[in-house]
């Protein structure tokens, strides 16, 4: 072992030992004593023990069968095995709410972490497999064990496929966990596998269909009463899956908008534990979100109406359950804290580790308590500290807690296996969501012919909104949904149900004139969420009918980005230009003075044009305007067209070079003249200036270069500088690229990133960048890892070879050696204010901290809990422990463009990359020639070439006590020119 490793190990060990406290070391409490240590923020609620060891140990997930028996997934083999997890079956024989006995339903499972009931058995995720287990002889043990799907990647045991939930649409949904996989049936060739890279999944209960879907939830996922899906992440309490799988399959252009972070922007993610600060070995945060897991939407009837529809998630490291209140925001939500500077449930006992939550058969909220000493995984602990720690200390403990309103009597657990069809249909109106879901599931399982009539009557006549909802989807699952019932749902009084009707109508292959008329009439619906859904539900209608609805929606007085998003996503390439033509016809304001969001909508829609005839039509519209009347709307559409990839994989500039139409060239000249005026007008709206910059690049190259290079000055806004750099790179003008790179030393860090990225947009500019690197005008260490990797991917073999030589010569110094050189920064006093400015300049473009910055890399809100030795390692050796979700990727297009960033989203149709500053770019699969992972973090090595030891001490001082106020004051000082 090297001396440096021993030094780091000693420092980490000292930091860990300093954090030790007597309460954390006192060992496990009895269930009664632990209950006394639990604190609820609401004094009218009570927490009760439902089960404890020896009936359960190391529980991580629960599910109940139709008679209220509890299946518990136990990861007693966590964290590193050997494999030996179990599923137990618990029974409450006397009905007092406390489970009396348990049988080992299945054992010798590989880290089982979720369970879901179906057809008298259970589905279980036990990577690499998804199993179906069933007891066929009534002895309480599974004698049937079937591998249903396999190929889930066996990554870190914390980060495997999990979170099985029953969906309103009769699919079973699962969470990726961050380990990905290539999923297939046992025995099938790998060529038949479905990749779930960066995506979650769903499968039909009969195991005939498996799909990768938008998302990537880490541990746990959930849905609300209306079937809307929500995801969790260890540092993000809740995200909303805005678009369902069927809609995304029909409209893949919307992929990058499918998952929404819905946290209140003013909420920095603080948590308020009451337990002693936990012993953390290295990287764990304790003041902000760190180990969130087990998300659920409470859908029961035992806490009180004010809690219904709230989100609950465990913070397993800091011994608490956090609550979020969801407030509607168009078709999505904003989530806000449920408590002010406190938590819904917290504990003074540091062994309390809430890893999952669920609504139970009695309508209560259940909390799954892993109850061990450690929840850390040794993979994330410095090697010097891993030995000598009993990572499974307390593995024979485990508790399940129930929370309900104290003043009310305990609800009885139903026995639905004994219920007849009519009883199950009646249960679709029950106040408890678990009861409704289970009744729907049993109706689907039984598939009794007499249920269809009862379900139709419920869907048409029930006074209960949720009963009508469940009846609709149960009919759909039984192939019994008729058009009359759909029409009634379209006219329903409840907007959420009308949204669901749009989903159901969208998948119906044949539509009568009456159904089409009802769909078209929805354009006047008072609910924005319904109109959002309508725009995406018009497949099967005639083109003129669809265009009329889309134009009407886009023009409505209360139209907003949500509606424009759905309309632009619904348009297929064939109808993009007819839509634009109809939209601006008779609406002079859209062209002369659009609002910024309207201009953005015009630009985004024009960027989808591909056909030559559409290009001619748009340019003819431009030519029909007098030069003085060319307005921001014209420029926005032309800017969008300049971003499109036209027929035969040409750019707009290339297309124009082959055009001989005089009216087209006259229109372009007039537009470029107008654009020059706007681009250089520092009083103009920044969005209009950026559109104008894109248009300037279509004119004479020498004139364009002169204007654009002048806009790279630091006095210009960052948006203007970045837009100018991008256009210079796309111009394929070696002289312009050379001039752009000649100003490197005058650019801000953000502009340097934009300039380097822009240089990869054309072969000519890439060649100039390589020259600048060879001559030392640009340092390799200023390029992020993805850009360095991209340089070696250029098509020109000779240029690629030159780039490889540069990269090899500038290979970062040995990380251990660098860490040794900077050890003095750990103990040296630093200037916290100066450290804030260094962080603002170098880190906020990719990291969020206390509500500021961008979530490209990891959220750093809880970074102050890390020892300085670990922080130093994070900065100077960022790829040492890079996880797949923070790994950089390179895309090479058929046109030779090279794009880099994190793989933010992926589907069979497109890939979305997220770059610094949170900028995303979606590339259709048809344009991708190569997609490759770099194997490195998006954060670059080589910070030592920017920071000396004093700088590093300043940065560490700030990271030890991060402050939003200091970051904001640093930004103001820069804006003021200080």
């Amino acid at each position: 072992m090297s001396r440096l490793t021993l030094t780091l190990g000693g420092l980490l060990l000292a930091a860990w030992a300093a954090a030790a406290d007597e309460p954390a070391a006192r060992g496990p409490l009895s269930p009664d004593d632990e209950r006394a240590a639990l604190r609820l923020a609401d004094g009218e609620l009570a927490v009760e023990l439902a089960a404890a060891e020896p009936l359960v140990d190391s529980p991580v997930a629960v599910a109940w069968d139709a008679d209220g028996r509890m299946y518990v997934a136990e990861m007693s083999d966590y964290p590193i095995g050997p494999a030996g997890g179990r599923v137990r079956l618990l029974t409450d024989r006397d009905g007092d709410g406390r489970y009396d006995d348990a049988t080992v339903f299945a054992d010798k499972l590989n880290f089982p972490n979720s369970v879901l009931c179906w057809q008298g058995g259970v589905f279980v995720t036990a990577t690499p497999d998804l199993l179906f287990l069933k007891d066929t002889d009534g002895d309480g043990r599974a004698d049937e064990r079937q591998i249903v799907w396999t190929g889930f990647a066996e990554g870190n045991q914390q980060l495997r496929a999990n979170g099985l939930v029953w969906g309103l649409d009769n699919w079973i949904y699962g969470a990726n966990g961050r380990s990905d996989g290539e999923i297939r049936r046992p025995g099938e060739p790998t060529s038949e596998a479905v990749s779930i890279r960066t995506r979650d999944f769903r499968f039909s209960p009969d195991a005939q269909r498996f799909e990768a879907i938008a998302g990537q939830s880490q541990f746990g996922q959930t849905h609300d009463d209306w079937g809307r899906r929500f995801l969790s992440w260890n540092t993000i309490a809740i995200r909303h899956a805005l678009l369902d799988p069927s809609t995304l399959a029909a409209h893949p252009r919307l992929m990058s908008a499918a998952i929404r972070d819905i946290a209140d922007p003013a909420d920095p993610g603080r948590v308020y534990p009451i337990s002693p600060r936990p012993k953390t070995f290295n990287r764990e945060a304790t003041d902000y979100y760190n180990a969130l897991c087990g998300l659920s939407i409470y859908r029961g009837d035992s806490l009180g109406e004010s809690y219904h529809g709230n989100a609950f998630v465990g913070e397993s490291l800091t011994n608490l359950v956090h609550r979020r209140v969801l407030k509607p925001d168009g078709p999505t939500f904003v989530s806000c804290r449920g408590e002010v500077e406190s938590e819904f449930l917290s504990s003074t006992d540091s062994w309390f580790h809430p890893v999952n939550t669920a609504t139970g058969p009695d309508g209560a909220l259940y909390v799954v308590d892993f109850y061990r000493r450690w929840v850390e995984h040794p993979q994330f602990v410095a090697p010097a500290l891993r030995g000598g720690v009993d990572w499974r200390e307390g593995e024979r403990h485990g508790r399940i807690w129930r929370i309900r309103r104290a003043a009310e009597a305990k609800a009885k657990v139903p026995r639905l296996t004994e219920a007849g069809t009519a009883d199950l249909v009646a249960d679709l109106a029950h106040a408890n969501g678990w009861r409704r879901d289970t009744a729907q599931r049993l109706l689907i399982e039984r598939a009794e012919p007499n249920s269809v009539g009862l379900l139709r009557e419920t869907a048409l006549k029930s006074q209960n909104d949720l009963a009508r909802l469940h009846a609709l989807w149960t009919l759909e699952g039984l192939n019994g949904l008729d058009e009359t019932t759909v029409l009634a749902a379209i006219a329903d009084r409840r907007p959420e149900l009308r949204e669901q009707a749009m989903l159901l109508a969208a998948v119906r292959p044949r539509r009568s004139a009456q159904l089409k008329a009802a769909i078209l009439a929805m354009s006047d619906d008072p609910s924005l969420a319904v109109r959002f859904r309508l725009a995406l539900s018009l497949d099967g209608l005639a083109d003129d009918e669809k265009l009329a609805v889309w134009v009407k929606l886009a023009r409505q007085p209360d139209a907003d980005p949500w509606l424009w998003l759905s309309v632009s996503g619904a348009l297929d390439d064939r109808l993009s230009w007819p839509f634009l033509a109809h939209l601006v016809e008779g609406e002079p304001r859209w062209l002369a003075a659009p609002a910024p969001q309207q201009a953005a909508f015009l630009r985004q829609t024009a960027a989808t044009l591909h056909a030559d005839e559409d290009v001619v039509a748009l340019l003819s519209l431009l030519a029909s305007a007098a030069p003085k009347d060319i307005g921001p709307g014209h420029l926005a559409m032309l800017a969008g067209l300049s971003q499109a990839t036209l027929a035969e994989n040409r750019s707009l500039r290339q297309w124009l070079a082959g055009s001989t139409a005089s009216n087209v060239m006259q229109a372009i000249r007039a537009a470029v003249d107008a654009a020059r005026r706007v681009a250089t007008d520092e009083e103009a709206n920044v969005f209009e200036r950026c559109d104008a910059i894109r248009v300037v690049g279509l004119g004479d190259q020498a004139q364009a270069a002169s204007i654009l290079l002048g806009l790279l000055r630091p006095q210009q806004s960052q948006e203007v500088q970045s837009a100018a750099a991008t256009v210079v790179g796309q111009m394929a003008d070696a002289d312009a690229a050379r001039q752009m790179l000649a100003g490197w030393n005058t650019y801000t860090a953000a502009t340097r990133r934009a300039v380097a990225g822009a240089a990869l947009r054309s072969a000519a500019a890439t060649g100039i960048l390589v020259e600048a690197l060879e001559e030392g005008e640009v340092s390799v260490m200023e390029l992020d890892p993805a850009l360095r990797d991209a340089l070696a991917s250029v098509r020109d073999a000779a240029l690629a070879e030159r780039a490889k030589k540069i990269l090899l010569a500038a290979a970062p110094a040995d990380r251990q050696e660098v860490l040794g050189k900077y050890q003095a920064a750990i103990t040296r006093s630093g200037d916290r204010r100066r450290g804030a400015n260094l962080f603002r300049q170098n880190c906020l473009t990719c990291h969020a901290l206390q509500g500021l910055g961008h979530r490209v890399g990891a959220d750093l809100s809880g970074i102050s809990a890390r020892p300085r030795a670990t922080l130093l390692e994070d900065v100077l050796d960022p790829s040492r422990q890079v996880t797949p979700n923070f790994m950089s990727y390179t895309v090479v297009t058929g046109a030779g463009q090279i794009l880099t960033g994190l793989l933010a989203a992926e589907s069979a149709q497109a890939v979305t990359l997220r770059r610094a500053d949170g900028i995303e770019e979606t590339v259709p699969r048809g344009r991708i020639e190569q997609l490759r992972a770099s194997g490195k973090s998006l954060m670059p090595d080589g910070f030592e070439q920017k920071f000396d030891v004093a700088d590093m001490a300043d940065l560490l001082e700030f990271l030890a006590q991060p402050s939003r106020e200091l970051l904001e004051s640093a930004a103001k000082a820069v804006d003021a020119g200080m």
Side-chain angles (χ1 to χ4, degrees):
M1 183 178 293
S2 71
R3 183 173 182 177
L4 174 60
T5 303
L6 287 170
T7 301
L8 284 175
L11 287 167
L12 287 168
L13 187 59
W16 168 65
D21 54 84
E22 185 60 32
R26 68 187 176 189
L29 300 179
S30 69
D32 286 341
D33 288 340
E34 188 195 359
R35 182 173 57 183
L38 295 171
R39 303 286 186 272
L40 284 161
D42 185 345
E44 295 185 1
L45 301 180
V47 57
E48 303 166 337
L49 185 69
E53 67 275 4
L55 297 186
V56 294
D57 61 60
S58 301
V60 294
V62 296
W64 292 267
D65 69 8
D67 288 336
R69 298 186 304 172
M70 180 192 288
Y71 289 88
V72 183
E74 298 180 342
M75 280 180 66
S76 54
D77 43 1
Y78 177 84
I80 55 176
R86 292 177 293 272
V87 171
R88 290 206 211 221
L89 177 58
L90 275 61
T91 306
D92 175 12
R93 299 198 179 280
D94 58 12
D96 67 350
R98 180 86 172 257
Y99 289 87
D100 305 298
D101 59 35
T103 59
V104 176
F105 187 73
D107 58 8
K108 300 179 182 179
L109 302 176
N110 195 40
F111 302 97
N113 59 8
S114 68
V115 59
L116 180 80
C117 297
W118 171 255
Q119 288 283 24
V122 291
F123 289 108
V124 176
T125 48
T127 299
D129 302 323
L130 190 151
L131 305 169
F132 181 71
L133 309 174
K134 189 172 183 177
D135 169 20
T136 63
D137 57 13
D139 66 353
R141 291 184 59 86
D143 46 84
E144 178 183 328
R145 183 180 297 207
Q146 175 188 357
I147 299 175
V148 181
W149 301 101
T150 192
F152 297 94
E154 294 184 78
N156 180 286
Q157 289 84 353
Q158 292 179 349
L159 308 175
R160 299 182 174 197
N162 66 87
L164 299 179
V165 294
W166 174 266
L168 179 66
D169 57 4
N170 306 303
W171 287 76
I172 294 171
Y173 287 77
N176 177 303
R178 281 173 51 182
S179 290
D180 303 338
E182 301 287 329
I183 316 306
R184 55 186 173 80
R185 289 189 180 89
E188 281 187 347
T190 55
S191 60
E192 300 293 323
V194 176
S195 172
I196 59 168
R197 183 171 61 182
T198 73
R199 290 173 285 177
D200 290 330
F201 61 92
R202 69 174 185 172
F203 61 95
S204 58
D206 62 6
Q208 295 304 301
R209 293 173 291 171
F210 185 98
E211 295 180 0
I213 60 174
Q216 195 182 25
S217 203
Q218 188 161 311
F219 191 83
Q221 60 171 333
T222 189
H223 61 84
D224 68 4
D225 280 342
W226 298 95
R228 294 170 291 213
R229 189 166 64 101
F230 297 89
L231 318 177
S232 68
W233 200 254
N234 65 313
T235 56
I236 305 173
I238 183 169
R239 295 180 294 166
H240 178 206
L242 174 63
L243 300 170
D244 63 286
S246 298
T247 297
L248 276 178
H251 307 294
R253 190 179 294 146
L254 287 169
M255 180 182 63
S256 62
I259 306 301
R260 315 297 297 187
D261 184 350
I262 59 174
D264 181 351
D267 182 358
R270 279 290 305 272
V271 292
Y272 297 91
I274 61 173
S275 56
R277 182 177 289 271
K279 297 177 183 179
T280 55
F281 288 88
N282 54 3
R283 303 176 185 272
E284 304 297 348
T286 58
D287 299 316
Y288 294 83
Y289 297 151
N290 169 272
L292 297 170
C293 54
L295 174 71
S296 71
I297 300 291
Y298 176 66
R299 302 172 56 225
D301 55 350
S302 292
L303 293 187
E305 185 60 32
S306 63
Y307 290 99
H308 194 93
N310 290 185
F312 292 88
V313 61
E315 225 307 338
S316 59
L317 182 68
T318 48
N319 325 117
L320 59 90
V321 174
H322 179 69
R323 179 168 71 102
R324 308 292 296 181
V325 177
L326 304 186
K327 298 180 180 179
D329 178 25
T332 185
F333 301 87
V334 172
S335 79
C336 305
R337 288 191 62 89
E339 283 72 33
V340 178
E341 297 189 357
S342 64
E343 301 295 346
F344 171 78
L345 174 66
S346 51
S347 178
T348 59
D349 180 8
S350 59
W351 280 53
F352 172 59
H353 296 302
V355 297
N356 227 321
T357 59
T359 303
D362 55 355
L365 177 69
Y366 283 75
V367 176
V368 180
D369 179 3
F370 194 53
Y371 209 73
R372 283 195 189 180
R373 184 169 188 184
W374 308 114
V375 287
E376 293 93 336
H377 193 287
Q379 179 180 333
F380 303 128
V381 173
L385 296 181
R386 291 176 189 169
V389 177
D390 181 3
W391 296 105
R392 288 167 63 166
E393 182 178 353
E395 66 177 288
R396 293 303 180 189
H397 295 84
R399 286 88 194 260
I400 312 291
W401 302 100
R402 176 196 303 106
I403 302 172
R404 64 182 185 86
R405 190 154 291 278
E408 297 179 4
K410 293 180 183 177
K412 292 184 177 180
V413 174
R415 297 190 178 277
L416 296 184
T417 55
E418 302 170 359
T421 299
D423 294 326
L424 291 177
V425 172
D427 267 338
L428 298 179
H430 201 279
N432 181 6
W434 179 91
R435 188 87 165 252
R436 296 193 304 274
D437 287 352
T438 303
Q440 177 176 334
R441 174 174 65 81
L442 292 174
L443 288 165
I444 295 293
E445 287 180 6
R446 296 178 185 180
E448 295 176 350
N450 68 324
S451 65
V452 171
L454 293 170
L455 288 165
R456 285 178 181 164
E457 183 177 7
T458 299
L460 293 170
K461 298 180 181 180
S462 175
Q463 295 302 303
N464 185 288
D465 299 339
L466 293 171
R468 297 196 303 280
L469 172 74
H470 281 274
L472 278 173
W473 280 105
T474 309
L475 284 166
E476 172 69 11
L478 295 172
N479 296 316
L481 186 61
D482 62 346
E483 191 168 283
T484 300
T485 310
V486 174
L487 284 166
I490 287 175
D492 199 274
R493 62 180 178 269
R494 186 72 184 250
E496 292 92 341
L497 210 146
R498 299 198 298 275
E499 284 186 69
Q500 296 295 319
M502 288 292 96
L503 285 172
L504 289 164
V507 298
R508 298 186 71 78
R510 296 181 181 178
R511 298 174 178 177
S512 68
Q514 186 179 7
L515 181 55
K516 289 181 180 180
I519 292 171
L520 293 172
M522 299 292 280
S523 60
D524 292 315
D525 196 280
S527 167
L528 173 62
V530 172
R531 283 177 278 142
F532 174 89
R533 183 61 57 188
L534 170 65
L536 300 166
S537 304
L538 301 179
D539 291 348
L541 273 65
D543 287 351
D544 59 339
E545 293 173 324
K546 290 192 281 190
L547 287 170
V549 172
W550 285 330
V551 170
K552 184 175 182 179
L553 292 175
R555 284 180 172 178
Q556 286 174 342
D558 66 340
D560 72 354
W562 289 118
L563 272 183
W564 293 326
L565 173 69
S566 62
V567 171
S568 63
L571 286 167
D572 59 50
D573 296 344
R574 186 176 51 84
L575 294 178
S576 293
W577 170 248
F579 167 76
L580 276 173
H582 282 76
L583 178 65
V584 300
E585 183 180 6
E587 291 286 337
R589 182 175 177 81
W590 275 85
L591 294 175
Q597 291 172 337
Q598 290 174 321
F601 178 59
L602 292 174
R603 180 176 62 254
Q604 292 161 4
T605 307
T608 67
L609 301 181
H610 300 292
D612 285 355
E613 57 268 28
D614 292 341
V615 178
V616 171
L618 190 154
L619 294 176
S620 297
L621 174 69
L622 189 64
S624 68
K628 65 180 179 62
D629 293 330
I630 293 176
H634 294 98
L635 296 182
M637 286 194 290
L638 193 52
L641 188 60
S642 74
Q643 296 174 285
T645 300
L646 306 182
E648 301 177 8
N649 217 24
R650 292 173 295 172
S651 68
L652 179 57
R653 172 174 280 280
Q654 292 169 326
W655 188 95
L656 290 170
S659 175
T660 58
S662 59
N663 67 323
V664 166
M665 301 315 297
Q666 182 179 350
I668 288 294
R669 284 193 293 271
V672 170
D673 286 342
R676 288 171 184 154
R677 293 191 296 271
V678 176
T680 56
D681 182 359
E682 297 188 11
E683 300 299 319
N685 179 291
V686 67
F687 303 107
E688 293 179 9
R689 293 185 71 192
C690 289
D691 282 340
I693 285 167
R694 296 183 181 100
V695 176
V696 165
L698 299 174
D700 177 80
Q701 291 209 353
Q703 289 182 317
S706 176
I707 292 172
L708 296 171
L709 292 169
L711 295 176
L712 291 174
R713 293 173 300 164
Q715 293 82 359
Q716 299 292 336
S717 71
Q718 189 57 59
E719 294 88 348
V720 165
Q721 293 179 64
S722 296
T726 299
V727 175
V728 172
Q730 291 172 332
M731 285 169 55
D733 184 324
D735 288 339
R738 185 172 286 107
Q739 292 180 65
M740 177 172 69
L741 285 161
W744 185 267
N745 290 332
T746 68
Y747 299 150
T748 63
T751 300
R752 292 184 187 191
R753 282 191 295 271
V755 166
L760 297 175
R761 297 280 177 154
S762 70
T766 303
I768 302 303
L769 175 60
V770 171
E771 285 181 16
L773 290 165
E774 288 172 330
E775 295 171 7
E777 296 172 359
V778 175
S779 169
V780 172
M781 301 316 299
E782 293 186 89
L783 307 183
D784 65 47
L787 280 175
R788 296 178 214 165
D789 187 58
L791 275 174
S793 303
V794 297
R795 284 181 167 180
D796 186 316
L799 190 60
E801 189 62 31
R802 287 166 61 193
K804 289 176 183 176
K805 288 181 180 178
I806 298 166
L807 296 171
L808 183 62
D814 178 79
R815 294 295 93 196
Q816 291 291 83
E817 181 181 331
V818 171
L819 284 166
K821 176 182 175 182
Y822 280 79
Q823 286 299 295
I826 295 174
T827 55
R828 179 171 175 167
S829 297
D831 184 328
R832 186 164 167 250
R833 186 174 297 276
R834 189 169 179 274
N837 192 47
L838 290 170
F839 185 90
R840 183 194 63 79
Q841 292 174 337
N842 295 281
C843 308
L844 274 185
T845 55
C846 290
H847 293 286
L849 190 150
Q850 297 184 9
L852 297 176
H854 300 275
R855 275 198 178 114
V856 181
D859 189 311
L860 302 182
S861 294
I863 199 167
S864 62
R866 303 182 188 181
R868 289 196 179 201
T870 301
L871 293 174
L872 185 70
E873 182 183 307
D874 289 341
V875 173
L876 296 179
D877 192 7
S879 293
R880 175 173 292 197
Q881 294 188 14
V882 62
T883 55
N885 48 300
F886 294 134
M887 187 179 297
S888 64
Y889 280 76
T890 298
V891 166
V892 181
T893 71
Q897 290 187 332
I898 302 174
L899 310 173
T900 61
L902 296 181
L903 194 61
E906 185 176 20
S907 73
Q909 294 81 19
V911 165
T912 297
L913 295 179
R914 182 180 298 129
R915 306 195 304 273
D917 297 313
I919 297 170
E920 293 189 351
E921 185 159 4
T922 298
V923 187
R925 289 275 186 187
R927 288 178 51 199
I928 296 175
E929 184 175 277
Q930 187 180 111
L931 172 65
R932 187 177 70 252
S934 71
K936 293 184 177 181
S937 167
L938 191 64
M939 180 176 172
D941 291 338
F943 258 80
E944 68 276 7
Q945 298 193 16
K946 295 184 178 184
F947 292 1
D948 58 22
V949 173
D951 293 331
M952 189 63 70
D954 294 340
L955 181 63
L956 294 179
E957 193 75 34
F958 172 74
L959 293 175
Q961 291 182 282
S963 164
R964 181 187 178 107
E965 292 73 21
L966 282 180
L967 289 174
E968 290 173 332
S969 64
K972 290 176 182 176
V974 170
D975 292 341
M978 296 172 59

